[in-house]
Amino acid sequence: MTQPIQPRLTQVFRFLHARYADGVAELSYAFDDGEPLVERIRFPAAPALPSARQDAFDAALKLLHLVAGVSYYKAGVPPQIEVAEGPLDDVTADLLDALYLHGLAEFAYRNGLDLRGRIHFPRGGNAMPAAPALGLPKRTLVPIGGGKDSLVAVEAIKSIGGDATAVWVGNSPLIAACAERTGLPTLNIQRELAPGLFELNRLGAWNGHIPVTAVNSAILAVAAILYGHDSIAFANERSASAATLEYEGQQVNHQWSKGYVFETLLSDWLHSHVAADLDYCSLLRPYSELAITRAFAKLTPYFDSFSSCNRNFRILGPKPADRWCGQCPKCHFVFLALAPFLPKPRLLTIFGRNLLDDESQAAGFDALLEYQDHKPFECVGEGAEARAAMYALSQRPEWAEDALVARFRSEILPQLDASQLALEPWLQPSGEHRVPTRLQAALAAIG
């Protein structure tokens, strides 16, 4: 009888194989000589793959295998990584080294680990010939998360008559309802983690945050080739590139795989290794959270179905409390960011309560403002954005007497430089983005 594996004592993490048949991708991994950990990705009603796309599909599937492995590698973080197919070309190894180091930086920080100098994907493989253009259909995969950002991206693409598919990974009823509300064709992909991962957790595996946007991006690259789309347009904002904190000389960013550095690395890799005409971008990259929230404030048909709350992501209920817990950083930030752009009664109807008139919520909003605390490990805007929004509310009679706004004005504002608190600069787009020419007209619909 074999001894159960001790994940934290393992020495090698092995990428075994990636296979695909009949709409199911099978990704296999192992620690040392342990049992394979097999993950499955299910692509519904998968069409037959045109032979002209086979090489591109194989390259995208290989990347998915390597990227999705982050969910398992973190269980033991062993010092050696092996890839059964052999060493990687330098560009691929560079992408993965960066993803595992920076995408797991929050995980490492919370577990008291230092992964610098530890992650080395095997390299020395032959450089890939440049991928050709495949003549992919001019159609965009738009990932839907159930929150405001992806809905702004959807409506921007619809505004220019773009052909798009609303896509999501997993089985959230709330996301399904939002996707249905867009009126776009929908694609719901299922990801089934290896059951063995849960056993490793029982045996004391390391646990924590992984760069899930990177995993979903790799899944969608496979989907784009399989179903025929020439672009993948996420809704990651400019603020996602800002670090949550710095720890012992390393930037720790909860949203690293939503940031511009990762977007650039993956976009370039897909162009060179998969298809020259497969674009990967964030449509919202030029915009701050506040600019995106201002755009969303005009999309009234979604007000009764969207939610950015991570705690209450469950079946849609008849009350706002079914979609918004009112206690988490996402609830706090979305409430604060929408407040300058919506009539107060409308905002209170969306949330079912006034979060800014509840003294018990002070610590949560302080963290958003980076006042006596660092920014939360959540997908929220920058501290300076939150301060600008709170300052705007402090100047408006309908908000000024609410408990936390009044506290901001009396206690926090005197410590700030009022010249740095204007809302307007946050509403201006930057020129830094990877949006392909075909979709750039959609940017005008955002702001």
Side-chain angles (χ1 to χ4, degrees):
M1 181 175 174
T2 58
Q3 289 294 314
I5 194 169
Q6 298 300 311
R8 298 191 189 191
L9 300 180
T10 55
Q11 294 301 302
V12 185
F13 182 70
R14 300 160 58 214
F15 291 84
L16 301 179
H17 67 254
R19 298 170 182 154
Y20 173 83
D22 302 323
V24 180
E26 184 180 281
L27 314 174
S28 185
Y29 313 92
F31 286 98
D32 294 342
D33 295 318
E35 290 295 313
L37 298 157
V38 181
E39 171 171 326
R40 290 180 175 84
I41 314 288
R42 300 186 183 277
F43 298 91
L49 184 68
S51 59
R53 294 187 207 159
Q54 187 66 55
D55 288 347
F57 182 86
D58 291 345
L61 181 64
K62 180 176 180 177
L63 180 74
L64 172 56
H65 184 214
L66 295 166
V67 170
V70 74
S71 295
Y72 306 93
Y73 169 82
K74 73 144 179 16
V77 293
Q80 187 176 346
I81 292 172
E82 290 182 359
V83 179
E85 288 189 2
L88 310 173
D89 65 271
D90 285 346
V91 175
T92 304
D94 286 345
L95 168 63
L96 292 160
D97 283 351
L99 172 64
Y100 277 58
L101 176 63
H102 299 294
L104 290 175
E106 177 187 335
F107 156 83
Y109 166 75
R110 288 179 176 269
N111 284 290
L113 300 170
D114 190 344
L115 301 181
R116 288 172 292 187
R118 189 174 185 88
I119 296 167
H120 300 287
F121 274 80
R123 61 179 67 217
N126 295 328
M128 299 287 291
L134 297 178
L136 293 166
K138 296 190 182 309
R139 191 161 55 198
T140 304
L141 282 173
V142 186
I144 299 292
K148 58 183 173 47
D149 296 6
S150 55
L151 298 173
V152 169
V154 162
E155 292 302 318
I157 291 173
K158 286 168 63 177
S159 76
I160 61 170
D163 190 354
T165 302
V167 60
W168 70 105
V169 178
N171 53 11
S172 162
L174 190 149
I175 295 178
C178 273
E180 199 68 35
R181 187 70 65 94
T182 67
L184 295 177
T186 60
L187 174 62
N188 182 200
I189 299 166
Q190 296 297 328
R191 181 186 184 203
E192 298 172 7
L193 290 168
L197 180 61
F198 305 102
E199 175 63 11
L200 290 179
N201 289 339
R202 190 185 69 78
L203 293 169
W206 297 108
N207 219 325
H209 176 76
I210 65 151
V212 69
T213 299
V215 178
N216 288 340
S217 297
I219 291 172
L220 296 192
V222 173
I225 300 300
L226 181 61
Y227 296 98
H229 293 71
D230 75 340
S231 53
I232 303 163
F234 271 80
N236 302 322
E237 75 290 344
R238 189 169 76 216
S239 311
S241 298
T244 307
L245 55 80
E246 183 176 317
Y247 177 69
E248 294 188 351
Q250 185 179 11
Q251 298 282 307
V252 178
N253 183 2
H254 175 79
Q255 303 187 79
W256 191 82
S257 65
K258 291 185 175 184
Y260 190 61
V261 170
F262 176 74
E263 179 183 332
T264 300
L265 287 170
L266 182 56
S267 174
D268 288 346
W269 191 92
L270 293 173
H271 280 156
S272 62
H273 287 68
V274 176
D277 55 340
L278 175 57
D279 291 311
Y280 171 84
C281 72
S282 169
L283 194 68
L284 305 189
R285 183 64 66 198
Y287 304 98
S288 71
E289 278 275 22
L290 289 176
I292 295 163
T293 306
R294 179 180 64 171
F296 181 75
K298 302 169 187 172
L299 304 182
T300 53
Y302 293 111
F303 284 2
D304 64 349
S305 61
F306 90 107
S307 177
S308 299
C309 173
N310 285 346
R311 293 185 188 172
N312 259 23
F313 236 55
R314 57 176 189 249
I315 295 173
L316 285 170
K319 305 185 299 298
D322 295 318
R323 296 195 313 278
W324 302 95
C325 76
Q327 304 286 330
C328 72
K330 292 291 289 286
C331 283
H332 292 154
F333 184 79
V334 175
F335 188 96
L336 177 59
L338 275 172
F341 307 113
L342 279 179
K344 187 174 181 179
R346 192 68 185 263
L347 182 60
L348 300 191
T349 298
I350 291 172
F351 279 81
R353 71 211 94 169
N354 184 353
L355 304 188
L356 287 171
D357 201 26
D358 180 353
E359 292 180 351
S360 72
Q361 307 266 22
F365 282 95
D366 284 355
L368 292 180
L369 300 171
E370 295 180 324
Y371 175 64
Q372 300 179 337
D373 202 352
H374 64 74
K375 190 173 78 168
F377 282 113
E378 271 288 2
C379 298
V380 296
E382 298 177 51
E385 282 183 274
R387 293 191 292 272
M390 189 71 89
Y391 177 72
L393 300 185
S394 75
Q395 306 304 300
R396 299 183 184 180
E398 70 271 28
W399 288 102
E401 300 310 315
D402 288 350
L404 299 186
V405 182
R407 175 178 173 271
F408 170 82
R409 197 172 62 250
S410 63
E411 180 180 330
I412 302 173
L413 182 56
Q415 304 178 50
L416 302 177
D417 179 353
S419 69
Q420 302 297 311
L421 297 175
L423 205 59
E424 188 58 34
W426 290 100
L427 305 180
Q428 306 305 314
S430 80
E432 188 175 67
H433 63 77
R434 306 278 296 201
V435 179
T437 303
R438 185 173 70 76
L439 296 177
Q440 286 182 14
L443 298 176
I446 299 165

